[in-house]
Amino acid sequence: MKDECPRGFDQRLISGYIDGELFQQDEQRVRLHLEGCSTCGKLAQELQTLREVTMATKFVVPTDDQWREAPRSAGSRLFRGLGFVLVGIWLAATLAFAGWELATGPAQPLEKLLVFGGGLGIGLLFLSVLLDRIRSARTDRYKGVER
Amino acid sequence: MGPDISPVGGVEAPAADRPHSKMDDAVAEMLVACRRTAYIAALQLLGNPDDALDLAQEATVRMLRSLPSLDPDRPWHPYLMRVVANLARDLWRRRRHRRAESLETLIEERGFDAVDPHAGPDERAHQGELRRRAAQALATLSGPHREILVLRDYQGLAYAEIAVALGIPRGTVMSRLHKARQLLREAVLHGGRTP
């Protein structure tokens, strides 16, 4: 390799030297060598320049909104919203139709009571879970962490 | 709110002497810092902002789960970097390639601090060009070389911390880092190709 030290110096120490990671004895050895070896001196200077360039590089960090939204694409969000609306309409229509059929049909009062009572209980349970979720979404400190 | 510019920074444990009522805030702050730091490291490793976002979220969740077992007296940055590096390796394995996308277009031009603040326009332009070439070349390095350069030169970890993060001896850190820098130098300053 064209950059090999003509004196066979261990060039791995040069990286440790520019990072300030060598023990005092090795550091002194590298410093003395660099003063007298143009090949290693040039290598050290170029590695130092590259190190400074990379250390000074900065990157854009997403905004808070991007953190929340980025995992889902715009198309995915649109279809998800549309899907929720359609499922909601379908569920409401189906339940209304079933309730109407049951209320006006030939079922016994006890049967109607069982179905409506059970349905009301399940509905209340769902409502309570929904309220809890809404409250925790408002107050959860870590909502930005887990999606 | 405009885009935020990265500080390459450490992740510190919340001070144990904080009042109990302030601990939740301290943990929340720490997790936000984790996410930010993990995102930058993931971006440097993977080169893809979407993958970096996913990886940063996962790394932050893992940090949150690990909170009870982490030593508050030791820096958490190396641990976080270990998590990020492992997640990046998993992703590389799943995709069966290690070639990342170039970071060139993801670098914040306006936030760049010139190497020498007193440098003239020509010198600044030269430094900008070097930075762009370095970002391009980083994407062409192998996984281990890219990892070690990111941890040392972009994330600023000490050799001992890199050894902890990657699970390798300190001597290996120095030799692998030197090899990675040689390859980067060859590509950036001499237009050479990296393997």
Side-chain angles (χ1 to χ4, degrees):
Chain A
M1 187 186 256
K2 65 180 179 179
D3 296 316
E4 271 181 16
C5 178
R7 299 184 208 169
F9 186 75
D10 182 0
Q11 291 182 321
R12 289 174 304 175
L13 292 174
I14 294 176
S15 270
Y17 176 75
I18 64 177
D19 286 328
E21 290 271 358
L22 296 182
F23 293 115
Q24 194 176 5
Q25 194 180 357
D26 285 334
E27 190 186 334
Q28 200 168 8
R29 194 154 63 93
V30 175
R31 194 181 330 117
L32 286 173
H33 177 75
L34 292 180
E35 284 171 5
C37 177
S38 60
T39 305
C40 290
K42 182 168 175 276
L43 175 65
Q45 195 177 17
E46 289 181 350
L47 292 183
Q48 176 72 20
T49 301
L50 263 185
R51 180 174 174 271
E52 286 170 354
V53 163
T54 50
M55 287 182 92
T57 305
K58 295 185 174 183
F59 295 84
V60 178
V61 179
T63 62
D64 287 348
D65 287 345
Q66 286 174 297
W67 281 115
R68 279 190 282 274
E69 299 299 334
R72 296 178 205 147
S73 68
S76 160
R77 287 200 302 276
L78 176 69
F79 288 135
R80 182 177 299 210
L82 199 60
F84 272 121
V85 170
L86 290 176
V87 167
I89 292 171
W90 168 79
L91 193 62
T94 304
L95 287 177
F97 178 71
W100 173 257
E101 284 291 307
L102 189 68
T104 58
Q108 298 295 317
L110 181 61
E111 290 173 341
K112 291 179 182 178
L113 185 66
L114 286 174
V115 171
F116 280 118
L120 186 65
I122 290 170
L124 288 175
L125 285 176
F126 271 117
L127 189 62
S128 110
V129 171
L130 183 66
L131 290 175
D132 283 346
R133 291 292 293 269
I134 290 171
R135 192 182 60 182
S136 73
R138 283 183 182 158
T139 56
D140 183 9
R141 289 179 189 283
Y142 306 119
K143 64 184 174 186
V145 176
E146 284 187 271
R147 68 174 196 271
Chain B
M1 184 179 162
D4 207 351
I5 309 300
S6 65
V8 172
V11 177
E12 301 301 334
D17 57 352
R18 281 191 190 228
H20 187 69
S21 59
K22 299 281 184 189
M23 278 307 283
D24 280 352
D25 289 342
V27 170
E29 280 171 24
M30 189 278 288
L31 289 174
V32 169
C34 271
R35 191 175 63 180
R36 184 187 176 98
T37 305
Y39 172 80
I40 295 296
L43 187 63
Q44 290 156 347
L45 287 170
L46 303 170
N48 180 310
D50 292 333
D51 288 342
L53 275 171
D54 283 347
L55 194 150
Q57 298 278 33
E58 178 61 29
T60 310
V61 170
R62 290 192 184 191
M63 283 296 282
L64 184 60
R65 287 184 188 142
S66 305
L67 276 180
S69 58
L70 290 177
D71 183 351
D73 296 327
R74 300 178 68 179
W76 291 0
H77 195 186
Y79 177 76
L80 177 64
M81 289 302 103
R82 181 175 205 156
V83 171
V84 170
N86 284 338
L87 287 170
R89 286 174 190 174
D90 289 346
L91 198 64
W92 283 329
R93 262 195 294 273
R94 281 205 300 275
R95 296 187 178 170
R96 298 194 178 280
H97 69 82
R98 289 190 161 209
R99 195 54 55 103
E101 295 172 39
S102 171
L103 296 172
E104 186 188 6
T105 56
L106 303 170
I107 294 171
E108 173 56 42
E109 297 288 340
R110 290 164 297 162
F112 175 61
D113 290 332
V115 173
D116 178 4
H118 304 297
D122 288 348
E123 183 61 20
R124 280 171 184 262
H126 176 63
Q127 288 167 354
E129 178 59 25
L130 280 184
R131 185 166 42 85
R132 273 187 289 277
R133 279 198 234 159
Q136 275 178 330
L138 187 68
T140 66
L141 297 182
S142 67
H145 289 139
R146 170 180 268 255
E147 272 176 356
I148 207 148
L149 273 173
V150 165
L151 294 187
R152 173 59 214 168
D153 288 347
Y154 286 96
Q155 290 291 322
L157 293 193
Y159 285 11
E161 292 175 328
I162 296 172
V164 169
L166 297 182
I168 56 178
R170 194 174 174 281
T172 307
V173 171
M174 188 158 68
S175 53
R176 190 182 293 176
L177 180 62
H178 185 68
K179 178 70 180 170
R181 281 178 172 160
Q182 287 270 49
L183 291 169
L184 195 69
R185 166 180 166 268
E186 198 61 32
V188 173
L189 300 179
H190 303 294
R193 290 189 171 277
T194 54

